[in-house]
Amino acid sequence: MRHFLDLIDVPAADLTALLADAAAMKVARKGLPKGAVDPDPALPGRALAMIFEKSSTRTRVSFDMAIRQLGGSSLVLNAADMQLGRGESVSDTAQVLSRFVDAVMIRANAHEDVTEFAEFSDVPVINGLTDRSHPCQIMADLLTLQEHFGTLDGLKLAWVGDGNNVAASFIHAAPKLGFSLTLGCPGGYTPAEDDLAYASNSGARVELTADPRAAVDGADVVIADTFVSMGDADADTRLADLAAYCVTEELMAQAKREAVFLHCLPAHRGEEVSAAVIDGARSLVFDEAENRLHAQKAILKWCLLP
Ligand code: CP
Ligand code: NVA
């Protein structure tokens, strides 16, 4: 049985195959109504439960449409409405849900709750974002870049701002997919030491600088995310500390002329990115959001048809 918990755990060849499958499925259903089942649905009769401890628009809707297009069905569960929210254990919840559904996607506050759920689950578990990582998002981002550039090999990615959960999953992918990654993060907002150690131990081209201009210098792709992630309490401090890391047109001018901009959304114009950049011609953010759907379908198939 395969869980999709972190990109670290997924072999490079599987990640490449997942991206190819997502791209092929996207082409194969072109022109169909969005609610129509795929021409040759891969997961008929399969049920996916989604547990949300935090808000979501893209993850919720894209996983729901993904399992429907694959011929299956879904249940969206708000953790606060479950007995989980009243103290039922993660392990009991995992064992019970395993009797009802074929796979579980979880968006949780604590990463350990997702790994514990997987430990006790008899069905595949997918990480739909935790405080530590967001692997599904990065599959959609890489699909978007592969579509745009034709390859990931040799691309220079620049992450600017908070070295957060989304940044961590980019770091996890870097050793496997041939791109280099420079993170421009101030002190106090650098990625987790164990993620950076993973990258350097696996020979990835991952670098860290406190200078946003140096991070973006010559980049093919500039990536931003919110300065205040779900669960971050110190919003005012964060906004002040990270203000100099806003991706503006002036910062984009340090990147290659044909560089593109990514953001997983939701975005805060005027904080981590200017409106001119995110709404400008170099922004791929809505292709990126759409690609959550296609990437998720490939992830569901990888988990359920090992
Ligand atoms: N990018 C992303 O995960 O969006 P949601 O929080 O809306 O699911
Ligand atoms: N870093 C953000 C991503 C939201 C999709 C958060 O965790 O809130």
Side-chain angles (χ1 to χ4, degrees):
M1 184 176 55
R2 286 164 159 178
H3 300 301
F4 192 84
L5 301 182
D6 262 322
L7 300 182
I8 287 181
D9 311 324
V10 184
D14 288 24
L15 292 179
T16 304
L18 272 165
L19 292 172
D21 190 31
M25 280 190 286
K26 183 174 179 176
V27 170
R29 64 167 292 118
K30 216 173 162 65
L32 286 181
K34 295 179 182 72
V37 172
D38 280 352
D40 186 15
L43 299 175
R46 305 299 182 101
L48 170 72
M50 293 184 264
I51 302 176
F52 287 94
E53 282 185 6
K54 312 198 210 197
S55 307
S56 170
T57 296
R58 281 142 289 268
T59 304
R60 181 189 306 256
V61 178
S62 60
F63 263 110
D64 201 336
M65 294 310 295
I67 191 74
R68 292 188 206 199
Q69 291 185 2
L70 291 167
S73 60
S74 71
L75 291 102
V76 179
L77 306 168
N78 193 337
D81 298 335
M82 299 171 72
Q83 297 292 6
L84 193 58
R86 294 182 57 246
E88 186 169 14
S89 68
V90 169
S91 56
D92 282 358
T93 306
Q95 291 175 80
V96 170
L97 284 192
S98 298
R99 304 290 179 107
F100 295 134
V101 299
D102 300 293
V104 180
M105 189 235 72
I106 312 177
R107 168 164 287 194
N109 292 306
H111 191 81
E112 293 71 22
D113 284 343
V114 176
T115 52
E116 186 186 351
F117 198 105
E119 194 185 319
F120 289 92
S121 175
D122 294 324
V123 300
V125 174
I126 298 169
N127 172 2
L129 181 146
T130 68
D131 57 337
R132 292 239 298 275
S133 59
H134 196 2
C136 296
Q137 179 68 51
I138 273 46
M139 295 308 287
D141 294 8
L142 296 176
L143 178 60
T144 308
L145 295 178
Q146 195 160 279
E147 277 174 356
H148 185 83
F149 290 103
T151 180
L152 300 173
D153 209 32
L155 285 185
K156 183 173 170 4
L157 275 56
W159 175 274
V160 183
D162 184 19
N164 64 12
N165 48 359
V166 179
S169 288
F170 269 114
I171 295 171
H172 297 164
K176 305 187 184 228
L177 291 167
F179 60 86
S180 72
L181 175 65
T182 306
L183 300 118
C185 312
Y189 296 87
T190 53
E193 283 300 330
D194 55 345
D195 288 326
L196 292 172
Y198 162 78
S200 70
N201 292 338
S202 45
R205 288 168 295 157
V206 173
E207 288 173 14
L208 180 63
T209 170
D211 178 356
R213 295 170 72 88
V216 165
D217 188 40
D220 298 292
V221 186
V222 179
I223 313 159
D225 187 15
T226 181
F227 291 160
V228 186
S229 284
M230 292 179 278
D232 286 337
D234 46 349
D236 291 345
T237 311
R238 293 181 144 266
L239 292 176
D241 291 348
L242 289 158
Y245 293 75
C246 181
V247 178
T248 58
E249 284 184 302
E250 196 253 321
L251 190 65
M252 283 298 287
Q254 299 296 309
K256 284 194 183 136
R257 207 150 55 87
E258 60 278 18
V260 297
F261 175 76
L262 293 185
H263 189 309
C264 65
L265 306 179
H268 309 79
R269 288 166 177 77
E271 293 181 7
E272 73 274 10
V273 61
S274 71
V277 170
I278 195 169
D279 299 320
R282 303 206 283 181
S283 171
L284 299 183
V285 297
F286 297 112
D287 289 337
E288 181 184 2
E290 178 191 333
N291 281 336
R292 292 295 303 277
L293 168 68
H294 309 295
Q296 249 100 259
K297 289 168 75 175
I299 293 165
L300 286 164
K301 284 171 66 181
W302 182 83
C303 286
L304 285 162
L305 303 173

